[in-house]
Amino acid sequence: MSPRVLIIILCYNGVADTLACLESLQRVEYPSFDLLVIDNASSDGTPEVVRARFPQVKVIENGANLGFAAGNNVGLRYALRHGYDYALLLNNDTEVAPDFLARLIDAAESDPKIGAVGPTITYYERPDLIWSAGGMIDWKRGIAVMRANEVDSGQYHEPADVDFVTGCALLVKRAVLERAGLLDERFFMYFEETEWCVRIRRAGFRILHVPRSRVLHKIPLNARFDKEYLAYYMTRNRLLFLRATGAPLRAWLDALLIQDLRTYLSLVMRPKWRTRSGRIGMRHAWIDFWRGRFGKWEMR
């Protein structure tokens, strides 16, 4: 018997991407999986369109934008209630190779201590360019370093242990959910899967990058950090990550005095960057972190 897998696709608008993702999943060569679309109150008619085009797909409407962590937790709880052996988080702006799931399952089943696995994810516009091949955590600097933006020349050819895999495509065992818990909803979006992977490893599980499992991600090649909400969540949640994982003092000093301060001064002082809104997001992030305001950013 093949392990039962629930594939969880979280949506917040982007109906065309969601439909393309679901279409690619129709070609998956694995005998035992179900699809669950979780909708975070999309305004583009995603739930209705998905039900019409893919009536076999289960759709849950949250009624509000719960963010990445809380939205996916709805699906993870569903997986636990319905007895699935694995749950797979999958971004709606992805398309998958037909054998991606079988390769992930084969790797995960090779050792009971393997708790989570992730594929090689490349850019949709540049399938030869790696967006993520897992990553490592530099505890001296308090940063998560993703193996990314490398031309795929076969440098990652065998499954290997990593500190984390991205929530864009992350397969996790039921035992992990029962022992390490679910995503921390304080993060809302960004860093939640990295903190989760730290808990998974501390619970005694391995995390593996599976290079021959392939996913395409429709993230722009020139994605930038200068949007207000991105600067906010990346700044606040990196500090929350340090607190939640008990990072050493050196990591805090590096994050605050080197990384954040340098980024902020660049946004303020460089003439061509002065109009960027990232510095506003960073200021709000620092204030909310020290005041203990987490979850969705509510501008005050």
Side-chain angles (χ1 to χ4, degrees):
M1 293 287 291
S2 299
R4 293 180 63 228
V5 182
L6 179 68
I7 300 179
I8 301 164
I9 303 165
L10 180 69
C11 303
Y12 178 60
N13 297 316
V15 64
D17 285 341
T18 301
L19 294 176
C21 178
L22 290 170
E23 186 63 41
S24 76
L25 287 164
Q26 305 308 302
R27 299 185 288 273
V28 166
E29 299 163 352
Y30 184 78
S32 184
F33 73 95
D34 293 317
L35 299 174
L36 172 63
V37 169
I38 306 287
D39 187 74
N40 266 353
S42 294
S43 59
D44 62 359
T46 291
E48 295 79 11
V49 174
V50 169
R51 289 187 180 107
R53 286 278 299 274
F54 299 96
Q56 76 278 18
V57 174
K58 172 73 173 177
V59 179
I60 294 177
E61 298 182 57
N62 284 333
N65 182 10
L66 303 183
F68 184 89
N72 274 305
N73 279 348
V74 172
L76 294 173
R77 293 188 185 99
Y78 182 97
L80 286 170
R81 287 196 307 271
H82 291 83
Y84 287 92
D85 302 300
Y86 287 86
L88 173 70
L89 306 186
L90 185 66
N91 274 19
N92 71 318
D93 61 346
T94 60
E95 294 187 22
V96 304
D99 63 350
F100 98 106
L101 183 54
R103 291 187 181 276
L104 291 178
I105 291 292
D106 285 346
E109 289 287 289
S110 68
D111 182 351
K113 287 193 173 294
I114 296 173
V117 297
T120 293
I121 305 172
T122 59
Y123 288 89
Y124 185 82
E125 298 175 38
R126 282 277 309 274
D128 64 322
L129 187 62
I130 294 172
W131 179 76
S132 176
M136 309 303 289
I137 297 172
D138 181 349
W139 289 109
K140 292 182 179 179
R141 300 176 59 202
I143 60 173
V145 183
M146 193 159 68
R147 301 190 296 192
N149 295 315
E150 305 174 23
V151 174
D152 184 7
S153 59
Q155 63 270 49
Y156 306 115
H157 53 86
E158 294 296 335
D161 286 87
V162 293
D163 287 339
F164 69 93
V165 291
T166 173
C168 176
L170 190 162
L171 180 74
V172 64
K173 283 180 177 174
R174 180 184 186 88
V176 167
L177 303 179
E178 294 170 339
R179 194 182 308 175
L182 308 183
L183 292 160
D184 186 335
E185 298 181 5
R186 292 177 298 171
F187 286 90
F188 192 76
M189 58 189 296
Y190 300 120
F191 276 93
E192 64 282 279
E193 80 272 56
T194 312
E195 186 275 336
W196 195 30
C197 285
V198 172
R199 274 190 282 130
I200 290 170
R201 284 170 55 85
R202 289 177 177 175
F205 294 99
R206 297 168 59 198
I207 298 174
L208 221 61
H209 165 236
V210 184
R212 296 186 183 182
S213 175
R214 296 288 171 144
V215 170
L216 296 170
H217 191 195
K218 296 177 182 176
I219 189 170
L221 286 165
N222 61 346
R224 301 298 293 268
F225 178 71
D226 56 356
K227 292 183 179 178
E228 198 169 88
Y229 79 93
L230 288 174
Y232 175 84
Y233 286 115
M234 294 296 286
T235 301
R236 186 199 70 182
N237 288 354
R238 183 171 66 250
L239 298 178
L240 178 55
F241 170 78
L242 296 177
R243 176 187 288 177
T245 57
L249 177 61
R250 177 173 176 175
W252 285 91
L253 294 175
D254 193 282
L256 290 167
L257 300 181
I258 298 179
Q259 298 174 53
D260 281 1
L261 186 59
R262 181 174 57 194
T263 301
Y264 185 79
L265 290 176
S266 295
L267 290 171
V268 170
M269 297 176 66
R270 294 188 181 184
K272 66 177 181 178
W273 287 6
R274 281 179 183 162
T275 59
R276 293 187 177 181
S277 58
R279 62 184 184 275
I280 299 172
M282 292 186 74
R283 286 203 300 269
H284 281 277
W286 290 327
I287 292 168
D288 282 359
F289 175 76
W290 294 114
R291 292 183 176 178
R293 294 172 178 164
F294 301 113
K296 186 178 182 180
W297 180 24
E298 303 290 349
M299 287 193 64
R300 297 168 178 82

